[in-house]
Amino acid sequence: MPGIDHLAKTHVRERVVNLGDEEITLKDMTVFTVDGVLVYRVGDKQEDIYKALFEVENLENAVRLYCISILREVVREMTYEQLIGGEPEQIAAKLTERVDEQLAAWGLIVKSFGLGDLSPYGDTLRMIQTPAAAKLKVNALKEVAADVRGLELDPRIAAALVGGHGNQKL
């Protein structure tokens, strides 16, 4: 067609991108394999479609690489306890907020961006099963002990509930 360099097409339906497994070292030097999942779509305005087609050469690849870099940045700031014990909604909100502005500049609307699978990598499992696990267990026992104190129970039953022996004081 005269005056047209080339035709391009883009999908305007929602797309789900699985970012794949990324090995990330957390703030506390534990290493996890983290999987991210992004849901996005091209905006409805003609301007958004134009941006999605012409602002970035390979949109799908650019989105994937940008989201991987944001996933790494956000997760790297966390500790093991924050990653495992944190609220998934808060982590997803932080990830979504971080990618939303850049993807909007490319004509995209981010529906959600969150974590998929989390699993310890290499020696991390052994590391977290010893000191970190002990710390988590102690904190859990303290919380249970505080709850049990309010109940008027036989000390042996209370101690059994918090994992101790009947002759220990709460």
Side-chain angles (χ1 to χ4, degrees):
M1 293 175 69
I4 296 179
D5 185 16
H6 70 278
L7 294 176
K9 75 176 190 179
T10 188
H11 299 281
V12 292
R13 296 179 289 177
E14 280 189 9
R15 296 184 210 176
V16 178
V17 178
N18 185 331
L19 301 178
D21 292 338
E22 293 294 318
E23 293 171 17
I24 303 174
T25 302
L26 306 182
K27 188 173 19 178
D28 59 4
M29 301 310 290
T30 54
V31 181
F32 272 78
T33 301
V34 179
D35 178 26
V37 178
L38 171 73
V39 180
Y40 75 96
R41 70 182 203 57
V42 175
D44 295 329
K45 298 182 223 162
Q46 186 173 1
E47 170 186 315
D48 292 334
I49 295 169
Y50 177 84
K51 288 178 183 178
L53 286 170
F54 300 110
E55 292 291 320
V56 181
E57 185 175 334
N58 184 340
L59 182 66
E60 289 184 32
N61 193 43
V63 166
R64 185 175 181 286
L65 292 175
Y66 183 74
C67 288
I68 287 171
S69 96
I70 295 301
L71 177 69
R72 287 181 162 280
E73 284 178 23
V74 169
V75 172
R76 226 180 315 195
E77 297 170 359
M78 304 173 94
T79 64
Y80 160 74
E81 289 177 349
Q82 292 170 328
L83 184 64
I84 298 298
E87 294 293 322
E89 296 84 23
Q90 291 173 341
I91 297 170
K94 188 172 189 175
L95 288 167
T96 301
E97 179 185 323
R98 293 283 302 271
V99 300
D100 192 45
E101 186 178 335
Q102 180 62 46
L103 270 52
W106 295 342
L108 306 177
I109 298 169
V110 176
K111 296 291 190 169
S112 67
F113 184 21
L115 300 177
D117 293 329
L118 301 171
S119 56
Y121 181 78
D123 289 339
T124 298
L125 182 59
R126 183 184 48 76
M127 287 171 45
I128 60 180
Q129 285 178 335
T130 48
K135 183 178 178 184
L136 289 173
K137 186 173 181 178
V138 166
N139 289 339
L141 289 174
K142 285 179 184 176
E143 288 179 27
V144 171
D147 292 342
V148 169
R149 277 189 207 111
L151 305 173
E152 294 182 16
L153 294 174
D154 179 300
R156 291 173 295 199
I157 294 172
L161 288 173
V162 295
H165 301 290
N167 57 3
Q168 293 178 332
K169 267 191 136 179
L170 291 178

